[in-house]
Structures are given as C-alpha cells and as structure tokens.
Amino acid sequence: MTTFMNDPTMPTPSFPGSHMVMDDRYVFISGLTVSDLSNGHAAKGDVKEETRLVMRAISRMLEMEGGSLADALRVDVHLTDLMTINDMDSVYAEFFEPGRYPARTCTESPNICGGCHVEITVMATRQLPKEQ
C-alpha cells in the first residue's frame, strides 16, 4: 500500500506534491531545500549550512518512519554552482558511515526554488515494523 505524507514539522509544500511517499519497500523524499524548512531562511547562501539543515531534516523524516540515513540507497543533489561541491561534500559525508555512501547524482541547477543553493532528494529502503 502506498502512503502519501507531509512532515508535520515543516510547512505544507507549496507545490502539488508530498514530502514523502512510502510503499512496502521504499521511502521517497521529495527534493528539499532550506526554503522548505520553517527555520532555514537564515542559512540561504551558505552551502554548508544549507546542506546540514536539509540533511538533518531528511534524517528526521526517515527516523519518523523507523529508518535512518543508513537506509538511503540513492541521493540526488542539485547545486546552483557545481564549484561548491567540495563544501557540500564536506558536510554531506558527515551523515554517512565512511565507505557506505548511497548511489548519488550531483548536478548544477542554476535556478533552485526559493533562491536556495542546495536541493537534496532521497530514496531509502523502508524499515517495516516486525510482526509479532
């Protein structure tokens, strides 16, 4: 069964979509920017801080479903300037066990919504509760 859900700690999406979609096997998290977070506006322009806030939100969303970033299989990262990839990577890597990074695509997208510099999308394995 497919479930469509918005994170209750974040503003309702301004686009026709859901923050998360889950089925029996996977959790799909829509691309998030600091503009999607209620507390992220002050971070705009600082790629490291934008990355940190978005990754924390994604981690929290996966934890709400009983998982973690260790369950991430694929990540898509969009940067307004690909020259900032090393700054983004320095923070991104902190959220994963070394050597256990998800498959990833990183592209330059010059016009990310809300004037942000980083947008991150995640697909993770869903951790279903064990039957008793």
Side-chain angles (χ1 to χ4, degrees):
M1 183 162 113
T2 304
T3 304
F4 302 85
M5 184 176 147
N6 289 321
D7 182 331
T9 68
M10 296 186 341
T12 301
S14 60
F15 57 90
S18 301
H19 289 137
M20 294 189 293
V21 175
M22 289 92 47
D23 66 12
D24 291 342
R25 297 184 64 201
Y26 302 105
V27 176
F28 300 90
I29 298 179
S30 291
L32 290 180
T33 68
V34 292
S35 287
D36 297 316
L37 312 175
S38 60
N39 64 346
H41 298 290
K44 279 188 197 174
D46 181 335
V47 171
K48 287 183 175 185
E49 190 60 18
E50 284 188 33
T51 302
R52 183 171 289 108
L53 289 171
V54 170
M55 291 299 291
R56 284 180 185 158
I58 290 168
S59 178
R60 186 190 70 253
M61 292 167 79
L62 290 170
E63 289 170 6
M64 284 175 21
E65 289 303 307
S68 72
L69 280 166
D71 301 313
L73 301 173
R74 178 173 174 76
V75 176
D76 293 319
V77 178
H78 303 278
L79 297 169
T80 56
D81 181 357
L82 206 50
M83 297 299 287
T84 63
I85 193 169
N86 291 332
D87 288 338
M88 184 277 299
D89 277 341
S90 70
V91 174
Y92 175 88
E94 295 172 7
F95 288 86
F96 299 98
E97 181 182 325
R100 295 188 49 89
Y101 302 109
R104 189 180 91 180
T105 298
C106 188
T107 62
E108 184 171 285
S109 302
N111 296 304
I112 294 175
C113 289
C116 299
H117 294 84
V118 177
E119 181 173 12
I120 302 173
T121 304
V122 173
M123 175 185 165
T125 300
R126 185 166 188 200
Q127 299 301 316
L128 295 175
K130 297 198 183 338
E131 293 186 35
Q132 297 181 358

